Amino acid sequence: MATRSLTLFPVRLAGIPSWVPVAVLLTSAYGIVPLLGSTYLFEAILLPFLCLSLAAVGLNLLTGYAGQLSLGSAAFMAVGAFGAYNFSLRVPGLPLLASFALGGVAAALVGLIFGLPSLRLRGFYLAVSTLAAQFFVQWALTKINWFSNDNPSGVIDAPPISLFGISLQSPAGRYLFTLTVVLALTAFTARLVRTRTGHNFLAIRDNELAARVIGVPVLRTKLLAFVVSSFIVGVAGALWAFAYLRTVEPAGFDLSRSFEIVFIIIIGGLATIRGAFLGAALMVVFPLLLSRVGSLLLGKRFDSGALDLSQHIVLGALIIFFLITEPDGLSSLLGRLTAILFPQNTNHNPKQ
Amino acid sequence: MSDASFFLEVLVGGLLAGVMYSLVAIGFVLVYKTSGVLNFAQGSMVLLSALTFVSLLERGIPFWASLLLTLGVMVLLGIAIERVVLRPLVNRPPIVLFMATLGLAYILEGGAQLVWDTEVHGLSLGIDDTPFRVAGVNVSSFDLVAAAIAGGMVLLLTAFFRFTHTGLAFRAAADDQFAALAVGLRLPRIWAAVWIASGIVALITGLLWGARLGVQFSLSQVVLKALPVLMLGGFDSITGAIVGGLLIGAFEKLSEVYVGPYFGGGIESWFAYVIALLFLLVRPSGLFGQKLIERV
């Protein structure tokens, strides 16, 4: 499972060196999209897509690779967002990237604390215990006014994004900033899962006792998975607040956000990097599509309430559908599609 | 009022609130005991049943007819869940089934509110909810009825699991699915029966909680109250669900009164989880949960 996920594209396209698709993707993401994209594309699609993708990459590290199901991702996003906000507020002259990193570190520390039960608990007991993180963090951020700088409404404008004195506050600027952070952390994760640590994650997921027998430091590795995952999810939360919403508030990081990220990695494919992006893309685009289709079919009767409810129904059905028919998610679906579209020449008989 | 009697009053209030948590938890235990799946959709089943019942009632259908119709809906739902969700997922890891119940929860929640509506409905079961005094403590007869129903349900379920043929089959399926198949038990039928049973528990829970809180979306959130109860009592023990519910209810109310003010209040959203978590660090399978025996 691990090796397959490492390449960006599932098969090597016939006759094309493997760096070409990567280069094409990067050029279009950095060169073409910022030039051609509309504000709507950035604000409603690309920014939430990138932030959710990063959060899903982080959760996938913990759940897909290390096998520890967490239902509290939104809490770590919130810690990252509030951490980054407070560091940039209280440390004058701190560069933005540094406050993002420190926000991530804060999330990692909280992740370490709430990862401790994983040393004793497994399976459902652990999954439920991660809910403690969800409720505690949400409560703490709402109740303790220091975190929101004594702002009575609990809703705070995020500071503007600028790097080296250049303002990145335009939609395209925020997109480029987010894209860069997301790509850097994704590259780091993709690298991490190839190292011995990454293999230790897989060993613990597949069989904890066997992992212990072959000398994997189980306790340390589990905690490490929680820490690294929470760091990434925390940075994703900071991006969500600073670049996408431009406000910092605890309400956006509720339990349904946590579930959303779990759904992304199920639909996208557990233990694949590319699955996190595919799942996030579906999760962002599908409500937009559903509202178009719904109003087309039902006209005025399809109001926002009905949209919300039918969104839940379709999402739930999608989850079950994917679990039944496509357990490895969109990622393996894409793999099969590319294999059909670009048959590999290795299968050809040279004599023909 | 003296400190001691105030303490007693808070304690009794907490214990009675705990009974309501136990009701939700029992629904979980039924499914977990027989298939090893944590059924996250239990809360939405509570919402679905209560909303269906109250909507039928509001359309002028008599009480008992509404109750029977809702019961029919829950039976059909149990069969449908087994057919559409459980059967194709047979032999998959429990965590996959758990995620499927998450999806199921979304479908039921959305579906129930799309078919009926998202308004808050008042529900009266004809049980008096005014407090009266027993030995210097305020008790509501509604709470007592709820406690009696919970107690009756526990007795019934315990007797069912111990003495009836179907109950034995449930336990056999829980113990070892392959062995159960080998002696000729029909697992799909057993699972359908279990889901129907948990649907009926959801209906009872929905009526009691609905009468207390009003029937609305937040009813499905009672699942979040039941999870710490399950952690404390053990996912597979009906006794655990009751004892865990009482403990969590009592701790929650006591902490709200005696500890809450130091934290600025509102701690009930997470306090139960922290208690359950601390307890689990000492006993990882809860009070009455089966100990996991690991084999390679």
Side-chain angles (χ1 to χ4, degrees), chain A residues 2-350:
Chain A
T3 46
R4 205 184 47 202
S5 68
L6 297 175
T7 46
L8 187 62
F9 290 98
V11 289
R12 270 193 61 183
L13 308 182
I16 305 171
S18 63
W19 55 268
V20 170
V22 181
V24 169
L25 208 68
L26 281 180
T27 327
S28 47
Y30 274 103
I32 301 168
V33 172
L35 286 178
L36 300 182
S38 62
T39 306
Y40 177 79
L41 182 72
F42 292 126
E43 298 267 357
I45 298 176
L46 287 175
L47 281 170
F49 159 67
L50 286 170
C51 298
L52 287 177
S53 299
L54 186 61
V57 165
L59 180 65
N60 219 341
L61 196 61
L62 182 66
T63 303
Y65 287 95
Q68 316 290 312
L69 178 61
S70 161
L71 301 174
S73 315
F76 300 116
M77 287 179 82
V79 173
F82 275 85
Y85 168 74
N86 276 299
F87 278 114
S88 71
L89 179 79
R90 288 167 212 282
V91 185
L94 190 71
L96 187 69
L97 277 179
S99 61
F100 267 55
L102 287 172
V105 169
L109 285 178
V110 177
L112 179 70
I113 295 167
F114 284 99
L116 286 175
S118 73
L119 305 182
R120 288 280 277 166
L121 310 177
R122 43 184 73 85
F124 293 128
Y125 287 95
L126 178 66
V128 173
S129 79
T130 58
L131 282 176
Q134 175 68 48
F135 295 124
F136 179 75
V137 166
Q138 231 185 323
W139 172 85
L141 291 178
T142 325
K143 282 284 170 187
I144 303 174
N145 293 326
W146 185 84
F147 288 124
S148 49
N149 198 23
D150 295 318
N151 191 309
S153 64
V155 182
I156 323 150
D157 286 333
I161 294 176
S162 68
L163 274 189
F164 313 115
I166 307 161
S167 168
L168 291 170
Q169 198 56 5
S170 69
R174 280 183 282 129
Y175 160 74
L176 285 173
F177 175 78
T178 311
L179 180 69
T180 310
V181 174
V182 170
L183 284 183
L185 281 175
T186 306
F188 164 77
T189 312
R191 179 78 198 107
L192 177 71
V193 297
R194 299 174 95 152
T195 59
R196 158 156 292 190
T197 312
H199 293 163
N200 286 351
F201 286 171
L202 294 176
I204 288 177
R205 178 195 69 188
D206 289 340
N207 190 329
E208 205 179 307
L209 192 54
R212 197 182 303 253
V213 169
I214 59 169
V216 174
V218 171
L219 302 186
R220 215 175 59 210
T221 309
K222 272 187 182 176
L223 285 183
L224 190 68
F226 267 95
V227 166
V228 178
S229 155
S230 308
F231 177 84
I232 296 171
V233 174
V235 173
L239 285 173
W240 180 268
F242 279 57
Y244 169 46
L245 293 180
R246 283 185 285 168
T247 58
V248 190
E249 53 178 326
F253 300 112
D254 57 359
L255 187 61
S256 54
R257 179 84 55 225
S258 291
F259 285 155
E260 190 178 14
I261 298 163
V262 174
F263 289 167
I264 287 175
I265 64 172
I266 300 173
I267 291 179
L270 288 169
T272 62
I273 299 287
R274 125 179 133 234
F277 286 85
L278 295 170
L282 185 83
M283 200 61 89
V284 170
V285 173
F286 136 84
L288 302 174
L289 276 181
L290 193 68
S291 87
R292 290 278 159 85
V293 173
S295 51
L296 204 68
L297 292 179
L298 296 170
K300 285 248 158 58
R301 274 182 54 216
F302 200 71
D303 55 3
S304 66
L307 171 69
D308 204 41
L309 294 175
S310 41
Q311 203 173 309
H312 274 157
I313 299 175
V314 179
L315 189 61
L318 267 180
I319 298 291
I320 295 177
F321 174 79
F322 267 97
L323 287 173
I324 292 173
T325 61
E326 202 60 63
D328 292 331
L330 285 170
S331 170
S332 88
L333 195 68
L334 180 74
R336 290 207 307 275
L337 265 181
T338 5
I340 293 166
L341 290 176
F342 305 95
Q344 295 201 302
N345 15 354
T346 46
N347 296 336
H348 286 287
N349 190 338

Side-chain angles (χ1 to χ4, degrees), chain B:
Chain B
M1 190 188 284
S2 72
D3 280 352
S5 74
F6 178 66
F7 176 85
L8 197 68
E9 176 150 353
V10 174
L11 182 68
V12 169
L15 289 174
L16 289 171
V19 170
M20 300 286 278
Y21 299 160
S22 303
L23 281 172
V24 192
I26 289 172
F28 278 94
V29 171
L30 271 178
V31 172
Y32 191 89
K33 227 171 137 64
T34 42
S35 50
V37 179
L38 181 66
N39 171 22
F40 202 85
Q42 185 69 24
S44 5
M45 282 162 71
V46 169
L47 173 70
L48 173 75
S49 61
L51 197 57
T52 308
F53 176 76
V54 90
S55 303
L56 289 173
L57 213 58
E58 280 172 6
R59 276 159 186 73
I61 298 169
F63 186 92
W64 289 108
S66 305
L67 197 64
L68 275 178
L69 278 173
T70 315
L71 207 62
V73 170
M74 298 319 282
V75 169
L76 287 179
L77 182 72
I79 296 171
I81 289 173
E82 193 277 316
R83 273 288 153 82
V84 181
V85 182
L86 297 180
R87 202 174 289 186
L89 286 176
V90 74
N91 277 340
R92 300 280 292 279
I95 214 84
V96 169
L97 282 153
F98 165 71
M99 292 181 186
T101 66
L102 260 179
L104 192 64
Y106 269 58
I107 296 179
L108 294 182
E109 244 163 53
Q113 293 181 89
L114 200 62
V115 170
W116 305 115
D117 54 36
T118 48
E119 307 288 309
V120 183
H121 300 268
L123 171 63
S124 163
L125 298 175
I127 309 167
D128 195 20
D129 202 2
T130 49
F132 60 90
R133 296 190 75 77
V134 180
V137 178
N138 278 328
V139 183
S140 147
S141 55
F142 182 87
D143 283 330
L144 292 181
V145 171
I149 290 177
M153 233 157 66
V154 169
L155 285 181
L156 262 175
L157 285 173
T158 312
F160 172 75
F161 274 108
R162 195 155 295 171
F163 301 119
T164 69
H165 190 260
T166 323
L168 271 175
F170 278 18
R171 277 165 61 201
D175 233 28
D176 188 333
Q177 297 195 351
F178 285 108
L181 276 173
V183 296
L185 293 174
R186 290 182 194 166
L187 287 184
R189 214 177 265 184
I190 291 178
W191 285 328
V194 169
W195 277 78
I196 290 171
S198 73
I200 294 169
V201 174
L203 173 60
I204 298 170
T205 319
L207 293 183
L208 287 172
W209 272 92
R212 167 109 333 150
L213 295 178
V215 178
Q216 54 177 323
F217 170 72
S218 67
L219 211 53
S220 65
Q221 306 296 309
V222 296
V223 46
L224 300 175
K225 288 278 177 206
L227 288 174
V229 172
L230 288 166
M231 286 168 80
L232 194 64
F235 282 143
D236 50 6
S237 161
I238 290 179
T239 326
I242 289 289
V243 177
L246 293 176
L247 281 175
I248 292 280
F251 266 118
E252 212 177 70
K253 278 280 167 347
L254 288 174
S255 64
E256 214 179 299
V257 173
Y258 292 100
V259 188
Y262 299 105
F263 285 99
I267 61 172
E268 69 272 6
S269 68
W270 56 271
F271 198 77
Y273 282 91
V274 173
I275 294 174
L277 206 55
L278 291 178
F279 183 79
L280 281 193
L281 292 182
V282 185
R283 262 183 87 97
S285 50
L287 270 174
F288 298 96
Q290 247 173 34
K291 289 213 177 52
L292 292 172
I293 301 165
E294 279 190 51
R295 299 191 189 91
V296 178

